[in-house]
Amino acid sequence: MPILNSQNLKNIEVSIVVPVHNEEVNIDYLFERLESVLHSLKLNYEIICVDDGSKDNTLACLIKHHYQNSAIKVVSLSRNFGKEIALTAGIDYANGAAVVPIDADLQDPPELIRELVAKWREGYDVVYATRRSRQGESWLKRFTANSFYRVICRMSRVPIPRNTGDFRLLDRRVVEVIKQMPERTRFMKGLFAWVGFKQISIFYDRAPRYKGKTKWNYWRLWNFAVDGITSFSLVPLKIWSYMGVVLSLLAFFYAAFLIIRTLILGIVVPGYASLMVVTLFLGGIQLITLGIIGEYLGRVYEEVKQRPLYLVRNRYGFNLNHQGIEKGEFVNQEA
Ligand code: UDP
Ligand code: MG
């Protein structure tokens, strides 16, 4: 059903932003559900899909939907940049008075948009959807996710809401702030929380993935966690000065003990074992410390390089004078 809405960009009320990577099996159903919710809300909306270097038919499928419904717009990135960056790209292109990032695999129920919008209309700037339960996820995944939230809440001064993904509603004011943030390591959950403003959460039961497989294996999740912690906490860096102080104190007392013992008992047989233990222990600690400094230094290096966050290969459904071009991206405009 072709819907021709010659939208005035200024009038878009809600922009839905969907990062998509190899999701051809989910797209039809995703749009079906999104459209039915958005139509019933009688909102002037747009759906911005960011194709994050998919290898399957995702892009063709998205374009097909764009031709059926002009409110569906597509940004296709030049390669796979990862979900956080795809989301950033989508937010950059969104024009709505509110922006709602949502996963393409229907783990975030589109029907919840109704409640998000209702709270937004009550005057909240950020309405986040917190998972009451996680279905279809293994015990290990739930356990690691919980531990991660616990650690990051302890370490970071910004309260990062637990069990909350990227599914939320952001008012334009918040979106503008996030767009100004220049950092390359984009831990979106953290950035969304960092801005503050009037926030509220609503609860929902997280559904299992509709079709297809998750792209997050444990190694990727681990790296994601390290990104999150290093972008929002300096505790791992600072802790080593305290460790140093404690170890030096211990070493001092041990030295005193050795001197006194030598004075009293004379020179005893050499302590090979204790020497080895101390050397190995300190060597290990030093390597860990260096590694952690390396993690931060690497990120500083990433920031300093100032490369563009993402490259757009093609766009479908945007006006030519869209702000994206002023940013000096290489864009091949279509439609
Ligand atoms: N995604 C993406 N780029 C990637 C990996 C994932 O844009 O490199 C998208 C994916 O298409 C989906 C969302 O990010 O819309 C969440 O991915 P997934 O369901 O695999 O993650 P999980 O729900 O298991 O955390
Ligand atoms: Mg998912």
Side-chain angles (χ1 to χ4, degrees), residues 173-201:
R173 270 184 279 185
V174 179
V175 172
E176 288 307 321
V177 179
I178 287 174
K179 278 164 74 175
Q180 300 302 316
M181 294 194 184
E183 57 228 82
R184 261 107 259 278
T185 313
R186 297 193 78 89
F187 181 65
M188 292 308 248
K189 289 182 225 282
L191 295 185
F192 291 156
W194 182 87
V195 295
F197 287 95
K198 220 173 147 198
Q199 310 207 354
I200 192 172
S201 95

PDB file of all heavy atoms in Angstrom, residues 173-201:
ATOM      1  N   ARG A 173      15.734  17.691  22.322  1.00  0.00           N
ATOM      2  CA  ARG A 173      16.759  18.375  23.121  1.00  0.00           C
ATOM      3  C   ARG A 173      17.919  17.439  23.451  1.00  0.00           C
ATOM      4  O   ARG A 173      19.084  17.785  23.359  1.00  0.00           O
ATOM      5  CB  ARG A 173      16.145  18.817  24.463  1.00  0.00           C
ATOM      6  CG  ARG A 173      15.549  20.183  24.410  1.00  0.00           C
ATOM      7  CD  ARG A 173      15.074  20.544  25.779  1.00  0.00           C
ATOM      8  NE  ARG A 173      13.771  19.931  26.032  1.00  0.00           N
ATOM      9  CZ  ARG A 173      13.062  20.156  27.116  1.00  0.00           C
ATOM     10  NH1 ARG A 173      13.529  20.928  28.067  1.00  0.00           N
ATOM     11  NH2 ARG A 173      11.886  19.597  27.271  1.00  0.00           N
ATOM     12  N   VAL A 174      17.560  16.220  23.852  1.00  0.00           N
ATOM     13  CA  VAL A 174      18.568  15.232  24.216  1.00  0.00           C
ATOM     14  C   VAL A 174      19.338  14.782  22.970  1.00  0.00           C
ATOM     15  O   VAL A 174      20.559  14.629  22.994  1.00  0.00           O
ATOM     16  CB  VAL A 174      17.878  14.026  24.884  1.00  0.00           C
ATOM     17  CG1 VAL A 174      18.891  12.973  25.248  1.00  0.00           C
ATOM     18  CG2 VAL A 174      17.101  14.491  26.089  1.00  0.00           C
ATOM     19  N   VAL A 175      18.598  14.602  21.877  1.00  0.00           N
ATOM     20  CA  VAL A 175      19.235  14.156  20.642  1.00  0.00           C
ATOM     21  C   VAL A 175      20.298  15.160  20.208  1.00  0.00           C
ATOM     22  O   VAL A 175      21.404  14.780  19.819  1.00  0.00           O
ATOM     23  CB  VAL A 175      18.172  13.982  19.539  1.00  0.00           C
ATOM     24  CG1 VAL A 175      18.825  13.704  18.207  1.00  0.00           C
ATOM     25  CG2 VAL A 175      17.220  12.868  19.900  1.00  0.00           C
ATOM     26  N   GLU A 176      19.982  16.434  20.316  1.00  0.00           N
ATOM     27  CA  GLU A 176      20.949  17.457  19.903  1.00  0.00           C
ATOM     28  C   GLU A 176      22.216  17.373  20.749  1.00  0.00           C
ATOM     29  O   GLU A 176      23.317  17.536  20.250  1.00  0.00           O
ATOM     30  CB  GLU A 176      20.336  18.861  19.996  1.00  0.00           C
ATOM     31  CG  GLU A 176      19.292  19.151  18.906  1.00  0.00           C
ATOM     32  CD  GLU A 176      19.810  18.898  17.487  1.00  0.00           C
ATOM     33  OE1 GLU A 176      20.976  19.220  17.212  1.00  0.00           O
ATOM     34  OE2 GLU A 176      19.033  18.346  16.675  1.00  0.00           O
ATOM     35  N   VAL A 177      22.051  17.131  22.027  1.00  0.00           N
ATOM     36  CA  VAL A 177      23.226  17.015  22.898  1.00  0.00           C
ATOM     37  C   VAL A 177      24.063  15.804  22.472  1.00  0.00           C
ATOM     38  O   VAL A 177      25.283  15.880  22.360  1.00  0.00           O
ATOM     39  CB  VAL A 177      22.795  16.847  24.373  1.00  0.00           C
ATOM     40  CG1 VAL A 177      24.009  16.710  25.253  1.00  0.00           C
ATOM     41  CG2 VAL A 177      21.954  18.025  24.813  1.00  0.00           C
ATOM     42  N   ILE A 178      23.378  14.698  22.208  1.00  0.00           N
ATOM     43  CA  ILE A 178      24.110  13.477  21.850  1.00  0.00           C
ATOM     44  C   ILE A 178      24.838  13.648  20.523  1.00  0.00           C
ATOM     45  O   ILE A 178      25.954  13.171  20.334  1.00  0.00           O
ATOM     46  CB  ILE A 178      23.142  12.284  21.836  1.00  0.00           C
ATOM     47  CG1 ILE A 178      22.810  11.953  23.284  1.00  0.00           C
ATOM     48  CG2 ILE A 178      23.745  11.080  21.138  1.00  0.00           C
ATOM     49  CD1 ILE A 178      21.787  10.908  23.465  1.00  0.00           C
ATOM     50  N   LYS A 179      24.215  14.385  19.608  1.00  0.00           N
ATOM     51  CA  LYS A 179      24.867  14.607  18.320  1.00  0.00           C
ATOM     52  C   LYS A 179      26.129  15.445  18.470  1.00  0.00           C
ATOM     53  O   LYS A 179      27.046  15.364  17.653  1.00  0.00           O
ATOM     54  CB  LYS A 179      23.897  15.297  17.355  1.00  0.00           C
ATOM     55  CG  LYS A 179      22.946  14.306  16.697  1.00  0.00           C
ATOM     56  CD  LYS A 179      21.758  14.975  16.067  1.00  0.00           C
ATOM     57  CE  LYS A 179      22.100  15.696  14.780  1.00  0.00           C
ATOM     58  NZ  LYS A 179      20.867  16.226  14.144  1.00  0.00           N
ATOM     59  N   GLN A 180      26.181  16.258  19.514  1.00  0.00           N
ATOM     60  CA  GLN A 180      27.366  17.096  19.726  1.00  0.00           C
ATOM     61  C   GLN A 180      28.529  16.298  20.297  1.00  0.00           C
ATOM     62  O   GLN A 180      29.650  16.771  20.324  1.00  0.00           O
ATOM     63  CB  GLN A 180      27.067  18.232  20.706  1.00  0.00           C
ATOM     64  CG  GLN A 180      25.975  19.187  20.270  1.00  0.00           C
ATOM     65  CD  GLN A 180      26.281  19.822  18.949  1.00  0.00           C
ATOM     66  OE1 GLN A 180      27.392  20.250  18.716  1.00  0.00           O
ATOM     67  NE2 GLN A 180      25.301  19.871  18.062  1.00  0.00           N
ATOM     68  N   MET A 181      28.233  15.139  20.838  1.00  0.00           N
ATOM     69  CA  MET A 181      29.303  14.405  21.512  1.00  0.00           C
ATOM     70  C   MET A 181      30.259  13.834  20.488  1.00  0.00           C
ATOM     71  O   MET A 181      29.862  13.064  19.624  1.00  0.00           O
ATOM     72  CB  MET A 181      28.710  13.279  22.343  1.00  0.00           C
ATOM     73  CG  MET A 181      27.886  13.819  23.461  1.00  0.00           C
ATOM     74  SD  MET A 181      27.570  12.525  24.624  1.00  0.00           S
ATOM     75  CE  MET A 181      26.520  13.401  25.743  1.00  0.00           C
ATOM     76  N   PRO A 182      31.527  14.229  20.593  1.00  0.00           N
ATOM     77  CA  PRO A 182      32.457  13.896  19.530  1.00  0.00           C
ATOM     78  C   PRO A 182      33.112  12.526  19.682  1.00  0.00           C
ATOM     79  O   PRO A 182      33.818  12.092  18.794  1.00  0.00           O
ATOM     80  CB  PRO A 182      33.513  14.994  19.676  1.00  0.00           C
ATOM     81  CG  PRO A 182      33.519  15.323  21.127  1.00  0.00           C
ATOM     82  CD  PRO A 182      32.157  15.027  21.661  1.00  0.00           C
ATOM     83  N   GLU A 183      32.879  11.827  20.771  1.00  0.00           N
ATOM     84  CA  GLU A 183      33.725  10.654  21.002  1.00  0.00           C
ATOM     85  C   GLU A 183      33.473   9.512  20.029  1.00  0.00           C
ATOM     86  O   GLU A 183      32.383   9.319  19.529  1.00  0.00           O
ATOM     87  CB  GLU A 183      33.591  10.159  22.434  1.00  0.00           C
ATOM     88  CG  GLU A 183      32.212   9.825  22.855  1.00  0.00           C
ATOM     89  CD  GLU A 183      31.897  10.468  24.197  1.00  0.00           C
ATOM     90  OE1 GLU A 183      31.538  11.660  24.177  1.00  0.00           O
ATOM     91  OE2 GLU A 183      32.025   9.800  25.223  1.00  0.00           O
ATOM     92  N   ARG A 184      34.523   8.758  19.795  1.00  0.00           N
ATOM     93  CA  ARG A 184      34.476   7.657  18.844  1.00  0.00           C
ATOM     94  C   ARG A 184      33.994   6.377  19.498  1.00  0.00           C
ATOM     95  O   ARG A 184      33.310   5.576  18.891  1.00  0.00           O
ATOM     96  CB  ARG A 184      35.887   7.384  18.294  1.00  0.00           C
ATOM     97  CG  ARG A 184      36.145   8.005  16.946  1.00  0.00           C
ATOM     98  CD  ARG A 184      37.063   9.202  17.062  1.00  0.00           C
ATOM     99  NE  ARG A 184      36.287  10.431  16.999  1.00  0.00           N
ATOM    100  CZ  ARG A 184      35.893  10.974  15.872  1.00  0.00           C
ATOM    101  NH1 ARG A 184      36.184  10.442  14.733  1.00  0.00           N
ATOM    102  NH2 ARG A 184      35.182  12.085  15.888  1.00  0.00           N
ATOM    103  N   THR A 185      34.439   6.158  20.723  1.00  0.00           N
ATOM    104  CA  THR A 185      33.982   4.966  21.423  1.00  0.00           C
ATOM    105  C   THR A 185      32.594   5.276  21.922  1.00  0.00           C
ATOM    106  O   THR A 185      32.421   6.000  22.888  1.00  0.00           O
ATOM    107  CB  THR A 185      34.889   4.649  22.618  1.00  0.00           C
ATOM    108  OG1 THR A 185      36.228   4.721  22.178  1.00  0.00           O
ATOM    109  CG2 THR A 185      34.599   3.289  23.161  1.00  0.00           C
ATOM    110  N   ARG A 186      31.602   4.761  21.235  1.00  0.00           N
ATOM    111  CA  ARG A 186      30.248   5.195  21.559  1.00  0.00           C
ATOM    112  C   ARG A 186      29.508   4.125  22.321  1.00  0.00           C
ATOM    113  O   ARG A 186      28.969   3.207  21.747  1.00  0.00           O
ATOM    114  CB  ARG A 186      29.517   5.577  20.287  1.00  0.00           C
ATOM    115  CG  ARG A 186      30.200   6.748  19.610  1.00  0.00           C
ATOM    116  CD  ARG A 186      29.352   7.355  18.553  1.00  0.00           C
ATOM    117  NE  ARG A 186      28.312   8.213  19.066  1.00  0.00           N
ATOM    118  CZ  ARG A 186      28.457   9.504  19.298  1.00  0.00           C
ATOM    119  NH1 ARG A 186      29.593  10.078  19.119  1.00  0.00           N
ATOM    120  NH2 ARG A 186      27.452  10.217  19.722  1.00  0.00           N
ATOM    121  N   PHE A 187      29.514   4.289  23.623  1.00  0.00           N
ATOM    122  CA  PHE A 187      28.753   3.400  24.470  1.00  0.00           C
ATOM    123  C   PHE A 187      27.413   4.091  24.695  1.00  0.00           C
ATOM    124  O   PHE A 187      27.260   4.915  25.587  1.00  0.00           O
ATOM    125  CB  PHE A 187      29.528   3.192  25.772  1.00  0.00           C
ATOM    126  CG  PHE A 187      28.867   2.261  26.729  1.00  0.00           C
ATOM    127  CD1 PHE A 187      28.703   0.927  26.408  1.00  0.00           C
ATOM    128  CD2 PHE A 187      28.408   2.718  27.940  1.00  0.00           C
ATOM    129  CE1 PHE A 187      28.094   0.076  27.300  1.00  0.00           C
ATOM    130  CE2 PHE A 187      27.803   1.866  28.830  1.00  0.00           C
ATOM    131  CZ  PHE A 187      27.636   0.542  28.510  1.00  0.00           C
ATOM    132  N   MET A 188      26.465   3.787  23.800  1.00  0.00           N
ATOM    133  CA  MET A 188      25.249   4.589  23.735  1.00  0.00           C
ATOM    134  C   MET A 188      24.454   4.613  25.036  1.00  0.00           C
ATOM    135  O   MET A 188      23.986   5.655  25.453  1.00  0.00           O
ATOM    136  CB  MET A 188      24.357   4.111  22.589  1.00  0.00           C
ATOM    137  CG  MET A 188      24.948   4.387  21.233  1.00  0.00           C
ATOM    138  SD  MET A 188      25.444   6.093  21.055  1.00  0.00           S
ATOM    139  CE  MET A 188      24.305   6.689  19.877  1.00  0.00           C
ATOM    140  N   LYS A 189      24.314   3.457  25.661  1.00  0.00           N
ATOM    141  CA  LYS A 189      23.572   3.422  26.927  1.00  0.00           C
ATOM    142  C   LYS A 189      24.120   4.465  27.891  1.00  0.00           C
ATOM    143  O   LYS A 189      23.380   5.131  28.586  1.00  0.00           O
ATOM    144  CB  LYS A 189      23.756   2.074  27.623  1.00  0.00           C
ATOM    145  CG  LYS A 189      23.085   0.906  26.991  1.00  0.00           C
ATOM    146  CD  LYS A 189      23.371  -0.296  27.905  1.00  0.00           C
ATOM    147  CE  LYS A 189      23.777  -1.516  27.149  1.00  0.00           C
ATOM    148  NZ  LYS A 189      22.754  -2.248  26.511  1.00  0.00           N
ATOM    149  N   GLY A 190      25.458   4.534  27.938  1.00  0.00           N
ATOM    150  CA  GLY A 190      26.112   5.468  28.838  1.00  0.00           C
ATOM    151  C   GLY A 190      25.864   6.897  28.415  1.00  0.00           C
ATOM    152  O   GLY A 190      25.533   7.761  29.228  1.00  0.00           O
ATOM    153  N   LEU A 191      25.998   7.161  27.119  1.00  0.00           N
ATOM    154  CA  LEU A 191      25.795   8.524  26.628  1.00  0.00           C
ATOM    155  C   LEU A 191      24.369   8.985  26.910  1.00  0.00           C
ATOM    156  O   LEU A 191      24.140  10.108  27.347  1.00  0.00           O
ATOM    157  CB  LEU A 191      26.057   8.596  25.115  1.00  0.00           C
ATOM    158  CG  LEU A 191      27.490   8.320  24.669  1.00  0.00           C
ATOM    159  CD1 LEU A 191      27.617   8.545  23.172  1.00  0.00           C
ATOM    160  CD2 LEU A 191      28.464   9.215  25.405  1.00  0.00           C
ATOM    161  N   PHE A 192      23.413   8.090  26.661  1.00  0.00           N
ATOM    162  CA  PHE A 192      22.010   8.440  26.903  1.00  0.00           C
ATOM    163  C   PHE A 192      21.789   8.795  28.370  1.00  0.00           C
ATOM    164  O   PHE A 192      20.997   9.662  28.703  1.00  0.00           O
ATOM    165  CB  PHE A 192      21.078   7.278  26.535  1.00  0.00           C
ATOM    166  CG  PHE A 192      21.010   6.989  25.059  1.00  0.00           C
ATOM    167  CD1 PHE A 192      20.647   5.731  24.602  1.00  0.00           C
ATOM    168  CD2 PHE A 192      21.296   7.969  24.122  1.00  0.00           C
ATOM    169  CE1 PHE A 192      20.572   5.445  23.244  1.00  0.00           C
ATOM    170  CE2 PHE A 192      21.232   7.696  22.758  1.00  0.00           C
ATOM    171  CZ  PHE A 192      20.870   6.438  22.318  1.00  0.00           C
ATOM    172  N   ALA A 193      22.470   8.078  29.245  1.00  0.00           N
ATOM    173  CA  ALA A 193      22.291   8.330  30.676  1.00  0.00           C
ATOM    174  C   ALA A 193      23.035   9.586  31.094  1.00  0.00           C
ATOM    175  O   ALA A 193      22.581  10.349  31.944  1.00  0.00           O
ATOM    176  CB  ALA A 193      22.787   7.145  31.490  1.00  0.00           C
ATOM    177  N   TRP A 194      24.183   9.822  30.470  1.00  0.00           N
ATOM    178  CA  TRP A 194      25.041  10.929  30.852  1.00  0.00           C
ATOM    179  C   TRP A 194      24.327  12.273  30.715  1.00  0.00           C
ATOM    180  O   TRP A 194      24.507  13.169  31.535  1.00  0.00           O
ATOM    181  CB  TRP A 194      26.296  10.919  29.968  1.00  0.00           C
ATOM    182  CG  TRP A 194      27.278  11.994  30.289  1.00  0.00           C
ATOM    183  CD1 TRP A 194      28.283  11.936  31.214  1.00  0.00           C
ATOM    184  CD2 TRP A 194      27.354  13.287  29.692  1.00  0.00           C
ATOM    185  NE1 TRP A 194      28.973  13.116  31.227  1.00  0.00           N
ATOM    186  CE2 TRP A 194      28.421  13.970  30.301  1.00  0.00           C
ATOM    187  CE3 TRP A 194      26.622  13.939  28.710  1.00  0.00           C
ATOM    188  CZ2 TRP A 194      28.773  15.270  29.962  1.00  0.00           C
ATOM    189  CZ3 TRP A 194      26.968  15.241  28.361  1.00  0.00           C
ATOM    190  CH2 TRP A 194      28.042  15.887  28.989  1.00  0.00           C
ATOM    191  N   VAL A 195      23.489  12.406  29.686  1.00  0.00           N
ATOM    192  CA  VAL A 195      22.882  13.711  29.419  1.00  0.00           C
ATOM    193  C   VAL A 195      21.948  14.160  30.527  1.00  0.00           C
ATOM    194  O   VAL A 195      21.736  15.360  30.692  1.00  0.00           O
ATOM    195  CB  VAL A 195      22.115  13.730  28.081  1.00  0.00           C
ATOM    196  CG1 VAL A 195      23.041  13.545  26.920  1.00  0.00           C
ATOM    197  CG2 VAL A 195      21.042  12.661  28.066  1.00  0.00           C
ATOM    198  N   GLY A 196      21.401  13.221  31.287  1.00  0.00           N
ATOM    199  CA  GLY A 196      20.501  13.636  32.352  1.00  0.00           C
ATOM    200  C   GLY A 196      19.126  13.992  31.829  1.00  0.00           C
ATOM    201  O   GLY A 196      18.505  13.195  31.148  1.00  0.00           O
ATOM    202  N   PHE A 197      18.650  15.177  32.089  1.00  0.00           N
ATOM    203  CA  PHE A 197      17.289  15.621  31.744  1.00  0.00           C
ATOM    204  C   PHE A 197      16.254  14.819  32.536  1.00  0.00           C
ATOM    205  O   PHE A 197      16.603  14.026  33.412  1.00  0.00           O
ATOM    206  CB  PHE A 197      17.013  15.517  30.235  1.00  0.00           C
ATOM    207  CG  PHE A 197      17.732  16.570  29.431  1.00  0.00           C
ATOM    208  CD1 PHE A 197      18.959  16.298  28.841  1.00  0.00           C
ATOM    209  CD2 PHE A 197      17.181  17.831  29.269  1.00  0.00           C
ATOM    210  CE1 PHE A 197      19.622  17.267  28.111  1.00  0.00           C
ATOM    211  CE2 PHE A 197      17.840  18.799  28.528  1.00  0.00           C
ATOM    212  CZ  PHE A 197      19.056  18.518  27.954  1.00  0.00           C
ATOM    213  N   LYS A 198      15.031  15.017  32.180  1.00  0.00           N
ATOM    214  CA  LYS A 198      13.959  14.365  32.938  1.00  0.00           C
ATOM    215  C   LYS A 198      13.761  12.950  32.402  1.00  0.00           C
ATOM    216  O   LYS A 198      13.283  12.772  31.286  1.00  0.00           O
ATOM    217  CB  LYS A 198      12.688  15.189  32.765  1.00  0.00           C
ATOM    218  CG  LYS A 198      11.879  15.317  34.023  1.00  0.00           C
ATOM    219  CD  LYS A 198      10.729  16.276  33.844  1.00  0.00           C
ATOM    220  CE  LYS A 198       9.562  15.807  34.684  1.00  0.00           C
ATOM    221  NZ  LYS A 198       8.303  16.383  34.292  1.00  0.00           N
ATOM    222  N   GLN A 199      14.159  11.968  33.185  1.00  0.00           N
ATOM    223  CA  GLN A 199      14.113  10.601  32.688  1.00  0.00           C
ATOM    224  C   GLN A 199      13.117   9.766  33.479  1.00  0.00           C
ATOM    225  O   GLN A 199      12.901   9.985  34.660  1.00  0.00           O
ATOM    226  CB  GLN A 199      15.492   9.938  32.802  1.00  0.00           C
ATOM    227  CG  GLN A 199      16.612  10.762  32.227  1.00  0.00           C
ATOM    228  CD  GLN A 199      17.777   9.924  31.736  1.00  0.00           C
ATOM    229  OE1 GLN A 199      17.814   8.727  31.922  1.00  0.00           O
ATOM    230  NE2 GLN A 199      18.741  10.575  31.097  1.00  0.00           N
ATOM    231  N   ILE A 200      12.548   8.806  32.807  1.00  0.00           N
ATOM    232  CA  ILE A 200      11.635   7.885  33.492  1.00  0.00           C
ATOM    233  C   ILE A 200      11.728   6.539  32.798  1.00  0.00           C
ATOM    234  O   ILE A 200      12.104   6.471  31.627  1.00  0.00           O
ATOM    235  CB  ILE A 200      10.191   8.402  33.495  1.00  0.00           C
ATOM    236  CG1 ILE A 200       9.347   7.595  34.457  1.00  0.00           C
ATOM    237  CG2 ILE A 200       9.594   8.363  32.091  1.00  0.00           C
ATOM    238  CD1 ILE A 200       7.966   8.133  34.673  1.00  0.00           C
ATOM    239  N   SER A 201      11.407   5.478  33.518  1.00  0.00           N
ATOM    240  CA  SER A 201      11.469   4.181  32.853  1.00  0.00           C
ATOM    241  C   SER A 201      10.111   3.493  32.887  1.00  0.00           C
ATOM    242  O   SER A 201       9.313   3.700  33.794  1.00  0.00           O
ATOM    243  CB  SER A 201      12.547   3.319  33.495  1.00  0.00           C
ATOM    244  OG  SER A 201      11.998   2.483  34.459  1.00  0.00           O
TER     245      SER A 201
END
